[in-house]
Amino acid sequence: APAAVGGPDARDSLPLPAPARAFSNAVDLAAPPRRVIWSPTMGFATIDREVLAACEAAVAALADAGTDVVELDTVMSADPLEDWLTMWVVARHKAQGLFMDTPEWEQISPSLRPQITAGASVTGSDHARALDACYRYRAELADAMETADADLVLCPTVAGQAPRLGEEGTIDGNAEVGWVQLTYGINLTRNPAGTVNAGYTAAGMPIGLQVIGRHLDDAGVLAAMRTLETVVSDDRIAGVG
């Protein structure tokens, strides 16, 4: 069946071409990827011990299935947080800034309000520098895959363990606001990415392994995730403690 949203649209200023193959076919015919990069920290993150152990076991299972695994300490030259945050608060101010000084303002989450107001103080130059950084991070991802001759980069989905509602996630038992460290950088590059279960913490919370593909290779990401779901079976991942 054709993709529901695949292909360019004349009304889009940044259109992408139609996928080379149907996503459903990529999943149905999934085989272990030839070679992947395994980057535990991507070069900047601090990873919870339980999260790291589960992801390492998942990558080992993929290697046992025939995939060549190239470990690379650094993929991104810097933590993308500041650049992502610049773009995020600008987007929040654009979308919700009109509610400032109105009765509706009190209906917005107290944790979101400071992010909306912060967007008003970002200069055009600040935003332009963050956009430039997006291209740099994307180039670094592409260079890493080109150098390693690999089509995918694997890393933990998040650096820490998931929190209870209203709390921060934790890294090695310590509450950390940056427990989601490894997600926001990929939001800046336009690379396709997905997450697959790699195991569970001792508290029974799921641990994700992030699968990042080359630009436009959504099908390759989906195929790798299908393989990981097959090889990382219940007897290979950490059990609920």
Side-chain angles (χ1 to χ4, degrees), residues 106 108-114:
E106 296 303 316
I108 296 175
S109 169
S111 63
L112 186 60
R113 292 176 208 159

Side-chain angles (χ1 to χ4, degrees), residues 88-106 108 112-121:
W88 170 258
V89 297
V90 168
R92 296 283 55 76
H93 186 265
K94 174 188 175 185
Q96 288 93 30
L98 73 163
F99 297 116
M100 296 169 64
D101 301 320
T102 72
E104 287 80 6
W105 184 247
E106 296 303 316
I108 296 175
L112 186 60
R113 292 176 208 159
Q115 300 173 45
I116 298 169
T117 55
S121 61

Side-chain angles (χ1 to χ4, degrees), residues 47-228:
I47 311 298
D48 178 88
R49 286 190 294 267
E50 281 190 88
V51 170
L52 181 59
C55 289
E56 286 177 336
V59 173
L62 189 63
D64 289 345
T67 296
D68 184 18
V69 176
V70 178
E71 185 162 346
L72 190 60
D73 291 333
T74 300
V75 173
M76 290 184 169
S77 59
D79 186 343
L81 174 60
E82 184 175 349
D83 298 307
W84 174 83
L85 192 59
T86 294
M87 300 187 69
W88 170 258
V89 297
V90 168
R92 296 283 55 76
H93 186 265
K94 174 188 175 185
Q96 288 93 30
L98 73 163
F99 297 116
M100 296 169 64
D101 301 320
T102 72
E104 287 80 6
W105 184 247
E106 296 303 316
Q107 299 177 31
I108 296 175
S109 169
S111 63
L112 186 60
R113 292 176 208 159
Q115 300 173 45
I116 298 169
T117 55
S121 61
V122 175
T123 68
S125 294
D126 292 337
H127 194 254
R129 278 190 288 270
L131 284 171
D132 286 345
C134 294
Y135 292 104
R136 184 177 73 250
Y137 299 132
R138 177 169 159 179
E140 289 173 346
L141 267 177
D143 288 345
M145 286 188 265
E146 188 70 25
T147 300
D149 187 25
D151 294 325
L152 300 161
V153 175
L154 308 182
C155 67
T157 302
V158 293
Q161 299 192 22
R164 293 180 179 274
L165 185 64
E167 299 178 6
E168 297 293 354
T170 59
I171 297 177
D172 293 337
N174 300 311
E176 297 283 352
V177 67
W179 69 279
V180 295
Q181 268 183 321
L182 292 164
T183 56
Y184 43 73
I186 308 308
N187 289 335
L188 301 181
T189 68
R190 301 186 82 196
N191 286 69
T195 183
V196 65
N197 180 242
Y200 299 90
T201 67
M205 297 301 290
I207 295 170
L209 179 71
Q210 185 169 206
V211 182
I212 306 161
R214 290 182 183 267
H215 184 52
L216 299 178
D217 189 21
D218 303 65
V221 170
L222 291 170
M225 291 173 64
R226 173 64 181 269
T227 298
L228 280 160

